[in-house]
Amino acid sequence: MHLHNVYFSLKNPSPDTIQTLIDECTQYLSGQAGIVSFACGRLEAELTREVNDTDFDVSLHILFDTRE
């Protein structure tokens, strides 16, 4: 298996822009062959512990069945 993580920092991090990116990632990326697991979402603003990375607006996580 191969896990691919992408963290997006948007120039315009408005709620509408964030939701548009999440919707488009889901529409265009979630149905690809070889995907075992797909997740895409916004930063959870309430998670503010020092150990949490908060330097992004949207994260994308895709687990593929193979690296290819």
Side-chain angles (χ1 to χ4, degrees), residues 20-33:
T20 296
L21 178 57
I22 292 169
D23 293 344
E24 290 180 354
C25 284
T26 303
Q27 178 181 354
Y28 295 111
L29 301 175
S30 66
Q32 303 299 317

